[in-house]
Amino acid sequence: MTVALITHEACLAHDTGPWHPECSDRLRAILRALEAEEFQVLLREQAPPATIEQLSRVHPDRHLRSILDLSPAPGESIALDPDTVFSAGSREAALRAAGGAVHGVDAVMDGWAQRAFVAVRPPGHHAERERAMGFCLFANAAIAARHAQARWGLRRIAVVDFDVHHGNGTQDIFADHADLFYASSHQFPCYPGTGAASERGIAGNVVNAPLPPGANGAAFRTAWSQILLPALNRFAPELLIVSAGFDAHKSDPLAQLRLETADFAWISEQLVAVATRHCGGRLVSVLEGGYDLDALAASAAAHVRALLQN
Ligand SMILES: [Zn+2]
């Protein structure tokens, strides 16, 4: 199984300050774990910067400019909201994060890889069409989905999201488009407050499975087995994009779900099976959250290990 690992060192230079959970050590921990012998088969690729054209398929020009034109001095940063920071290195990091997700689509569509893991930051699933928020600047997974339609002529694209937080941004971008499908499990109530089961999109193309604080891996697996995976199979996407956040782990400090590393392996195997069934095997996974460094590294490794299985 050929799996691409797409990343860029510019993603380490998005400087959120000394106490921010969304720190560059997150990405370092993942990349260190993926240096193990079993991962030497990964095809390592540099994430290119996204183009304005690619970003514009999701974010209106005026909003894009309001972010791309920010220019904090070295060592300084601008707060876009109480959680979301823009430093001197953030522009390049955000362009590479979105561009990495786009490159993942190109990899699986060109066929030189069947699956891709895009290890980048800042994350993307909270970024709405016209609002950066929740550590996220651009909607990386949604930009990748739009690219798959525009560049490769695909029609039906699914983004599935097992981050502990609801991907309000992806939902905001997808809800009005019947050809775009978004499914999410997440803690509820929790940040950002969206993601009730009643939020269904224009054509039932949004499916939310809220989980109460304290829910464990069994509840998570039940939600996916009974609600999210059946809906995803009914939608029958031509390409599967994964918003891979690992902050539902029981060790994560930002939320109160109680998943174990094995649960991330399980959902990854389920999603690989969906991609095999509907998408010619094509799966692009993009990093979202995960804030306990050890749990993040182990869970991301379990995820990539599943992507490497035939
Ligand atoms: Zn999260």
Side-chain angles (χ1 to χ4, degrees):
M1 179 53 57
T2 308
V3 179
L5 170 62
I6 300 168
T7 187
H8 199 281
E9 67 177 6
C11 293
L12 300 171
H14 169 54
D15 181 2
T16 50
W19 311 114
H20 201 292
E22 203 292 282
C23 60
S24 55
D25 281 348
R26 299 178 57 242
L27 184 52
R28 287 191 187 91
I30 290 172
L31 295 176
R32 196 176 306 122
L34 296 180
E35 286 301 320
E37 179 66 30
E38 64 181 304
F39 298 117
Q40 293 307 310
V41 296
L42 293 169
L43 292 180
R44 286 153 205 272
E45 282 277 312
Q46 298 289 303
T51 66
I52 298 297
E53 180 185 14
Q54 291 161 356
L55 299 170
S56 296
R57 295 188 187 117
V58 164
H59 301 294
D61 282 340
R62 195 182 50 180
H63 171 67
L64 265 184
R65 288 263 66 98
S66 75
I67 293 183
L68 292 173
D69 289 349
L70 295 171
S71 56
E76 295 186 1
S77 63
I78 297 165
L80 300 178
D81 74 11
D83 304 317
T84 312
V85 172
F86 194 98
S87 72
S90 297
R91 185 181 193 277
E92 185 70 12
L95 290 173
R96 301 274 179 183
V102 166
H103 194 55
V105 170
D106 287 343
V108 302
M109 295 306 300
D110 260 337
W112 57 263
Q114 281 77 54
R115 303 167 192 154
F117 180 59
V118 185
V120 290
R121 57 184 288 277
H125 73 154
H126 294 307
E128 299 182 346
R129 271 174 289 205
E130 300 191 60
R131 182 162 61 153
M133 61 177 275
F135 314 165
C136 301
L137 296 177
F138 300 136
N140 305 326
I143 290 164
R146 283 305 213 183
H147 175 75
Q149 292 180 318
R151 163 83 169 77
W152 294 98
L154 298 187
R155 193 166 70 89
R156 300 169 67 76
I157 316 286
V159 171
V160 296
D161 186 336
F162 55 75
D163 189 281
V164 81
H165 303 101
H166 179 243
N168 60 292
T170 312
Q171 178 171 301
D172 171 61
I173 295 157
F174 279 22
D176 294 339
H177 298 276
D179 287 340
L180 297 171
F181 176 91
Y182 177 68
S184 173
S185 64
H186 45 272
Q187 180 174 315
F188 189 90
C190 191
Y191 182 89
T194 51
S198 58
E199 297 166 27
R200 302 275 290 126
I202 193 173
N205 56 312
V206 170
V207 185
N208 286 305
L211 297 167
N216 62 12
F220 173 84
R221 294 186 192 207
T222 297
W224 281 93
S225 297
Q226 297 189 359
I227 301 168
L228 300 170
L229 290 169
L232 176 62
N233 277 311
R234 282 195 297 274
F235 179 76
E238 295 167 273
L239 173 67
L240 184 58
I241 298 173
V242 182
S243 268
F246 301 97
D247 41 9
H249 195 283
K250 64 181 181 183
S251 299
D252 197 275
L254 262 58
Q256 291 79 43
L257 293 194
R258 295 170 50 220
L259 269 59
E260 316 242 358
T261 304
D263 296 310
F264 294 105
W266 177 84
I267 187 58
S268 305
E269 291 162 6
Q270 303 302 310
L271 296 174
V272 162
V274 171
T276 300
R277 181 172 171 189
H278 296 291
C279 313
R282 297 180 298 232
L283 182 152
V284 177
S285 173
V286 186
L287 180 66
E288 301 285 359
Y291 303 99
D292 178 273
L293 297 184
D294 291 341
L296 172 64
S299 301
H303 177 62
V304 175
R305 194 173 293 124
L307 299 190
L308 280 166
Q309 290 169 9
N310 284 314

